[in-house]
Amino acid sequence: MFFLNLVDRLSRALAFLSGAVIIGIALLVASEIFLRNIVGVSLSFVWEVSVYLHMCAIFLGAAWTLRTGGHIRVTLLRAVMPRLFEWFATLIGLVISAYVTNALTLLAWGYHATGRTSGSTTDVPLVYPAAFIAFGSLLLTVQIALRLVHLAMGRPVELDSAREEGVNAPIMD
Amino acid sequence: MPLPSIVAILSLLAILASGAWVALGLMGVGIFSLEVFRTIPVEKLLAQSIWNGISSPELLALPLFILMAELLFRSRFIDGMFSALEPWVRRLPGALLHTNILACAFFALVSGSSAATTSSVGRITISELDARGYDRRLTLGTLAGAGTLGFLIPPSIVMIVYGVMSQTSVLKLFTAGLVPGFLLTACFMTFIAVLSKLRPGIVPQGTSDNSRIWHERLQGMPSLLPFVVLIGSILGSMYGGLASPTEAAAVAVIVTIVLMALERSLSLAVLKAAAVGTARTVSMLGLIIAAASFLASAIGFLGMPQAVAAFINGMNLPPLGLIVLLMLVYIVLGSFLEGMSIIVMTIPIVMPLVVHAGYDKIWFGVFLILMVELAQISPPVGMNLFVLQGLTGRPLSSVVRAAFPFFLIMLCFVFFLAVFPQVVSFLPQLL
């Protein structure tokens, strides 16, 4: 139970970090426009850093999005055999997610081993965003694995995001 | 069709039907097909495709417009819109039903999401129209139809995804959506006006005092001010040559935060909820885009676009015939898949066919957006239908029936655009 709660809390904290990062991107880009047009100073790093922050934000929020039912799926067949459907979908998801995590970890390791950078004036070492992405993917895989535990224990597999964060804005769901 | 393509299509259907998450499912199909039919380092291709798929600078507009939609949803800008629009439409045939359509068009000019548009406008107008005795079916129908304008009228979250995936200018796509968006708005309003002339009973017959109508119209103007400022900051900065869509989005986020602070609807709790809500949508969409990027590479290795192109070419369809065939395919896909999945799965295969038939990528983008809008209101899976069901507590079947006339209007409108593609193309060509 302790581990389940720990993973949930970590997932939620990272989702919050992911949202904060996106607000940060808005501030960075807006500051760049202001400085460029008013003061005549261009912050050349803003675009590149923003792209990497966005990439990290996508993966850092992935686990909490799964836990709160935010990743879309086709559930037309769920009504037929709900329990079997969940087991099957979760097992397939786990296999694919583990494969993806392995691939992204190898990519991050490759960037670390070769010391590859973005090659621009900012010269960001690519291992940093790649490591965050791989970690986000790993946490997503752990959340999917724990979904099996929730299923086995007969507990609800998804948390109500409206209860967790207040009213939900339907943007794409 | 070659075996790898058939297996890929069947495994895609199977994995989606199994209930696996769409993003992981798309990656799974690519991994499975390549592992079975090709001898390439799949892991490397997967990681690199994910990286390339989400590292496009144009994609930065996406999280920013999502953040803006989250903030707008939590603002009170929309609250005064009904009373501001009411005196303008009171004397039109169909009267206040037009407030639904116009409010959606207005909201679509600042929000890139259809479901958020339907929900934000609906939670204000449904109760107002109910209280005045308007036909509930038409209230829901106008909302379901006009709510979809969120995707067509810029800014549009779906257009950004299409632009990045098809390597088309997002600014040109936004521009291309303007004329069809306003024409569709006019179609919906004309339908309501004609219907209320044919069946006067659908609009409550009250005696409204029009003696001070201009006074009321002017009095309502300040309620529209936040929208005017936001529309000005988004469209003004983009078309004034000051900013790209991404920069316009960043400016709009800051302006939204300032306006919310001024109307006292901004708090730390609101900001936190908007941040986590943004993270959820960004993560969901980002993973789908990453997966689609890999799937596009995978089906390229499998030779699928060429196989499908050869199959379609064998049918010797005229360009309009191809579009009608695609409309049917998208309607079927749209009934059980969500719009974004349809876009990312079909672009690599369908876009070359449409371009080969003589339509440009911008036109296809608008066509695709309209087909996704149809998917939003086609049962059993239609996001706008779910939103309206949630708002009213009515059974889905009743919402579906209410939306059906608007579904048909949109279908005819897509056909009109296929016959007259210049309606879409002429404005972006001026840029």
Side-chain angles (χ1 to χ4, degrees), chain A residues 36 72-73 99 102 167 171, chain B residues 19 35 43 74 113 247:
Chain A
R36 179 162 33 96
I72 51 168
R73 54 200 290 230
Y99 192 103
N102 181 42
V167 182
I171 304 300
Chain B
E35 291 282 10
E43 278 170 345
R74 292 170 166 82
S113 153
E247 293 172 324

Side-chain angles (χ1 to χ4, degrees), chain A:
Chain A
M1 283 302 271
F2 173 75
F3 185 65
L4 294 178
N5 289 336
L6 184 73
V7 172
D8 275 353
R9 284 165 73 167
L10 180 62
S11 303
R12 189 179 179 185
L14 290 183
F16 181 68
L17 176 67
S18 164
V21 160
I22 293 163
I23 295 175
I25 294 173
L27 289 172
L28 268 176
V29 175
S31 316
E32 206 275 332
I33 298 166
F34 177 79
L35 288 173
R36 179 162 33 96
N37 288 306
I38 310 292
V39 187
V41 177
S42 179
L43 306 176
S44 57
F45 67 90
V46 162
W47 286 100
E48 197 179 334
V49 169
S50 298
V51 165
Y52 293 133
L53 287 174
H54 177 218
M55 292 168 80
C56 295
I58 289 172
F59 278 85
L60 289 180
W64 185 245
T65 306
L66 181 104
R67 186 74 172 109
T68 51
H71 288 298
I72 51 168
R73 54 200 290 230
V74 181
T75 51
L76 285 178
L77 296 180
R78 184 160 58 186
V80 185
M81 276 181 286
R83 217 172 142 67
L84 187 68
F85 179 88
E86 284 301 341
W87 273 100
F88 194 62
T90 308
L91 278 169
I92 289 181
L94 181 61
V95 172
I96 300 169
S97 188
Y99 192 103
V100 173
T101 301
N102 181 42
L104 290 172
T105 308
L106 288 174
L107 181 80
W109 184 253
Y111 285 156
H112 169 70
T114 57
R116 197 169 150 189
T117 62
S118 59
S120 63
T121 48
T122 319
D123 228 15
V124 176
L126 295 183
V127 62
Y128 296 139
F132 277 106
I133 288 171
F135 181 72
S137 180
L138 174 68
L139 195 62
L140 174 69
T141 309
V142 172
Q143 256 315 349
I144 298 176
L146 293 183
R147 197 179 164 96
L148 292 174
V149 177
H150 290 299
L151 273 171
M153 291 166 67
R155 288 160 50 117
V157 286
E158 280 165 12
L159 298 174
D160 178 7
S161 59
R163 197 177 60 84
E164 300 289 329
E165 327 291 349
V167 182
N168 249 335
I171 304 300
M172 293 303 295
D173 50 5

Side-chain angles (χ1 to χ4, degrees), chain B residues 58 162-173 351 361-362:
Chain B
E58 286 76 31
Y162 173 82
V164 170
M165 285 205 64
S166 65
Q167 294 176 333
T168 313
S169 154
V170 174
L171 186 61
K172 283 192 173 180
L173 277 168
M351 196 171 71
K361 286 203 276 185
I362 303 274

